[in-house]
Amino acid sequence: MTTASHNESAVGGTAEARHRVIAIDGPAASGKSTVARRVAESLGFLYVNSGAMYRAITWQALDQGADCSDRDAVLALLESTEFTCEESDGAGVIGLNGAVAGDEVHGAEVNANVSRIAAYPEVRDRIFEVLQAFPKKADVVMEGRDIGSVVFPDTPYKFYIDASPEIREARRRAQGLEDSIADRDRQDSTRKAAPLMIADDAEVIDSSHLGVDDVVTAVRERLAAKGVDEAKSV
Ligand code: DC
């Protein structure tokens, strides 16, 4: 983790009006992170990766030697953690006691435990509050599992990026990352609290046989049809 000293109050302003939220949900390794970042950059919106927040909490729990399947231990950790909204490298991120996580959150141990941590309703509640704060300050592209279904169900801009399990497994292998996609799919889809689902009004894009540029173009075209096509500074 690194100390977030440069922008303590980057996000979470007091403005009552909410800025626009483009929700991009989908299963692990569907390509949604790359697409979401590219769409955010092209529109000048803030990019928010909610999965990275669940990963940061998981990493913190592992770093402190907590057993991720021990709910009480995880809740004790939550109690002793101050959660803040930060901005780092053009992205909205979570601060845990003033520090933001780095690449360590993509390690095999975090992959193996993050779905368990993300299933605790108390963890989801804390992250929900952090996610809700970002569009008080800026237009955002936010990616995750439940952004269009639970976090911002009233946004008119919802996408669900999918790809076949085989293709998603192959993408992770090509990245050299150890990640049991099938396990995470099962845990993310069957948990009680805010499971992975396709919101009724989401535009579904199957990226199995599409390149990143194609998916970004498809998203931008659908957004343009809804009047979201200007580059706007945040
Ligand atoms: O997008 P990702 O694979 O980095 O997400 C890591 C985990 O976090 C994922 O397995 C489930 C959880 N997650 C979630 O429950 N809700 C979200 N909005 C985003 C991620």
Side-chain angles (χ1 to χ4, degrees), residues 24-29 32-33 49-55 58 105-106 110-111 113-119 124 127 131 142-147 151 172 179 181 184-185 187-188 191 193-196:
I24 300 188
D25 289 304
K32 65 186 183 309
S33 298
N49 179 343
S50 63
M53 301 185 184
Y54 291 95
R55 288 173 176 278
T58 306
V105 302
H106 294 286
V110 171
N111 285 340
N113 285 280
V114 64
S115 289
R116 196 189 304 268
I117 291 278
R124 304 202 70 80
I127 291 187
L131 296 176
M142 191 176 287
E143 57 135 319
R145 300 291 188 288
D146 61 343
I147 307 306
V151 185
R172 274 294 189 265
D179 193 358
I181 297 291
R184 286 212 287 138
D185 278 357
Q187 292 185 67
D188 294 345
R191 68 177 177 229
L196 171 67

Side-chain angles (χ1 to χ4, degrees), residues 45-64:
F45 284 24
L46 190 68
Y47 165 64
V48 180
N49 179 343
S50 63
M53 301 185 184
Y54 291 95
R55 288 173 176 278
I57 293 177
T58 306
W59 183 86
Q60 189 196 40
L62 293 167
D63 187 55
Q64 296 191 8

Side-chain angles (χ1 to χ4, degrees), residues 24-228:
I24 300 188
D25 289 304
S30 58
K32 65 186 183 309
S33 298
T34 312
V35 169
R37 189 180 268 282
R38 289 267 304 273
V39 170
E41 278 168 5
S42 66
L43 288 171
F45 284 24
L46 190 68
Y47 165 64
V48 180
N49 179 343
S50 63
M53 301 185 184
Y54 291 95
R55 288 173 176 278
I57 293 177
T58 306
W59 183 86
Q60 189 196 40
L62 293 167
D63 187 55
Q64 296 191 8
D67 173 357
C68 294
S69 60
D70 180 345
R71 184 182 183 134
D72 290 341
V74 173
L75 297 193
L77 180 85
L78 284 187
E79 287 304 311
S80 65
T81 303
E82 189 202 356
F83 294 86
T84 51
C85 296
E86 310 286 349
E87 196 176 329
S88 174
D89 200 16
V93 297
I94 195 168
L96 304 178
N97 293 330
V100 296
D103 286 345
E104 64 269 22
V105 302
H106 294 286
E109 217 188 342
V110 171
N111 285 340
N113 285 280
V114 64
S115 289
R116 196 189 304 268
I117 291 278
Y120 294 129
E122 296 84 354
V123 171
R124 304 202 70 80
D125 288 349
R126 299 300 287 271
I127 291 187
F128 180 89
E129 283 171 22
V130 173
L131 296 176
Q132 289 268 320
F134 285 105
K136 290 182 184 161
K137 179 78 176 173
D139 290 321
V140 301
V141 176
M142 191 176 287
E143 57 135 319
R145 300 291 188 288
D146 61 343
I147 307 306
S149 57
V150 172
V151 185
F152 293 106
D154 58 343
T155 182
Y157 317 116
K158 294 182 191 177
F159 296 89
Y160 186 93
I161 312 284
D162 212 348
S164 71
E166 297 74 26
I167 296 236
R168 292 186 289 118
E169 295 273 7
R171 285 179 183 162
R172 274 294 189 265
R173 276 198 304 275
Q175 290 170 324
L177 295 173
E178 196 182 313
D179 193 358
S180 175
I181 297 291
D183 262 7
R184 286 212 287 138
D185 278 357
R186 184 181 45 72
Q187 292 185 67
D188 294 345
S189 308
T190 58
R191 68 177 177 229
K192 287 206 179 90
L196 171 67
M197 64 166 75
I198 305 176
D200 286 343
D201 49 347
E203 305 256 13
V204 180
I205 299 175
D206 186 338
S207 74
S208 300
H209 304 291
L210 297 177
V212 173
D213 285 348
D214 299 323
V215 183
V216 171
T217 300
V219 170
R220 288 294 312 266
E221 282 174 358
R222 286 163 171 80
L223 288 171
K226 292 183 174 181
V228 183

Side-chain angles (χ1 to χ4, degrees), residues 13-34:
T14 53
E16 285 307 314
R18 204 185 81 194
H19 291 255
R20 290 169 289 185
V21 177
I22 297 169
I24 300 188
D25 289 304
S30 58
K32 65 186 183 309
S33 298
T34 312

